[in-house]
Amino acid sequence: MNVKYIEKHKKCCNINEKNGITYITFPKLEKYNEEIIHGFSTRLGGVSKDHLAAMNLSFTRGDDPDNVKENHRRFAACLGYDEKRLVFSDQVHLTNFYKVTEKDCGKGIIRESDIKDIDGLVTNVPGIPLITFYADCVPLMFYDPVKKVIAMAHSGWKGTVKRIGAKMVSYMGSEYGSKPEDIICAIAPSICQECYEVSADVAEEFIKEFHDDLTFYNSNIMQELIYIKDNGKYQLNLHKACELVLYRAGITREHIDITDLCTCCNPELFFSHRASHGMRGNNAGVMMLI
């Protein structure tokens, strides 16, 4: 692991180690440690082998199911939840959400899940750990300490340009009465702008969608969001896009932790689809109300 790089690029997050497990937490969410459990996994500390080594938390990457179950057992023991009560997302790069209740416990890990085509999970029920999966896309983690609601959303480029973060804020409001100004949010490790080359058609979607943000913020914001290279390709900043989405949704700046840890720059620490050319496992974000 490039320790100097990690120390320089761990803004707004903490890298923790417990019982051989390395994981990420966020200071603004840590203020509520008596109310919630949260963490974002790395690839360190599990039992999976070869390109899935070692903390692969996904059953969909060709791993031995027993290894994945052991990885879940270890990560759950580290953070302090019952892995048999986990509720899995079923991510397909849409903006569909699922309201999790007690009847859903164990779906995806100890029993077959009927939760399909879902990129965001939300609940106000204590004791139910929610889990979503990543290998370069942006993990968004939400907590409303007033209404006692947690949520997570998987924001790839398709979800980001469709403002999945804002839609989750709206969903929390309609389903639980959450107000944007009360919500605490963390933008967890994902691919950085320097690593994320996109084609012109993707760039055009973002330029069109975020055009109005130029006047909402400042005339230079588009340069931070996307720039063109000499080869005609574009470099897209998903972190910045998600940040803009959350601000426009009404979440205040002081309520957002934004890490700049890149999954692609750090393939020894995180699974990265681009860095591994698809030969990888999945990182995961977990949240639970206590």
Side-chain angles (χ1 to χ4, degrees), residues 50-225:
D50 302 320
H51 65 281
L52 299 168
M55 184 60 78
N56 168 49
L57 292 171
S58 176
F59 290 102
T60 65
R61 304 305 303 176
D63 204 349
D64 183 332
D66 288 337
N67 287 345
V68 181
K69 290 177 182 178
E70 175 60 16
N71 292 340
H72 276 287
R73 187 196 67 77
R74 293 186 180 196
F75 197 52
C78 180
L79 291 187
Y81 61 88
D82 181 355
E83 79 278 8
K84 295 181 178 62
R85 290 176 60 79
L86 277 166
V87 179
F88 282 38
S89 58
D90 180 52
Q91 297 159 197
V92 289
H93 296 276
L94 296 175
T95 58
N96 300 329
F97 306 134
Y98 186 83
K99 191 175 180 179
V100 176
T101 62
E102 187 70 28
K103 66 178 175 60
D104 299 305
C105 288
K107 288 182 178 179
I109 186 162
I110 62 170
R111 60 191 178 113
E112 188 174 350
S113 180
D114 58 357
I115 301 172
K116 303 297 182 183
D117 299 340
I118 294 297
D119 281 78
L121 299 173
V122 59
T123 192
N124 66 346
V125 183
I128 304 179
L130 311 180
I131 187 166
T132 50
F133 302 94
Y134 307 89
D136 283 336
C137 294
V138 184
L140 303 178
M141 309 176 84
F142 303 83
Y143 177 51
D144 176 359
V146 177
K147 298 297 184 179
K148 308 300 182 187
V149 178
I150 57 170
M152 290 191 294
H154 163 260
S155 192
W157 80 260
K158 292 181 180 179
T160 302
V161 80
K162 293 177 181 177
R163 297 184 182 259
I164 189 173
K167 290 180 179 179
M168 178 59 84
V169 172
S170 177
Y171 189 81
M172 292 171 70
S174 64
E175 296 296 320
Y176 302 98
S178 295
K179 297 179 180 179
E181 61 268 26
D182 293 329
I183 296 173
I184 313 299
C185 185
I187 300 177
S190 62
I191 195 166
C192 73
Q193 185 172 25
E194 287 71 24
C195 291
Y196 195 40
E197 181 182 272
V198 298
S199 59
D201 57 335
V202 173
E204 287 168 4
E205 286 196 47
F206 275 83
I207 291 168
K208 179 180 178 181
E209 175 61 31
F210 287 89
H211 180 267
D212 289 344
D213 292 278
L214 290 172
T215 54
F216 189 80
Y217 293 99
N218 60 69
S219 60
N220 295 322
I221 201 69
M222 193 60 73
Q223 295 177 24
E224 295 181 50
L225 180 66

Side-chain angles (χ1 to χ4, degrees), residues 12-14 16 25-39 143-146 148 182-186 252-257 287-290:
C12 298
C13 73
N14 294 317
N16 312 275
T25 55
F26 302 91
K28 288 182 172 57
L29 292 176
E30 286 180 323
K31 292 180 180 179
Y32 300 94
N33 276 349
E34 294 184 358
E35 301 175 15
I36 62 171
I37 286 170
H38 82 282
Y143 177 51
D144 176 359
V146 177
K148 308 300 182 187
D182 293 329
I183 296 173
I184 313 299
C185 185
T252 62
R253 292 177 185 270
E254 59 267 24
H255 282 174
I256 304 178
D257 272 335
M287 296 189 78
M288 186 183 79
L289 288 165
I290 299 174

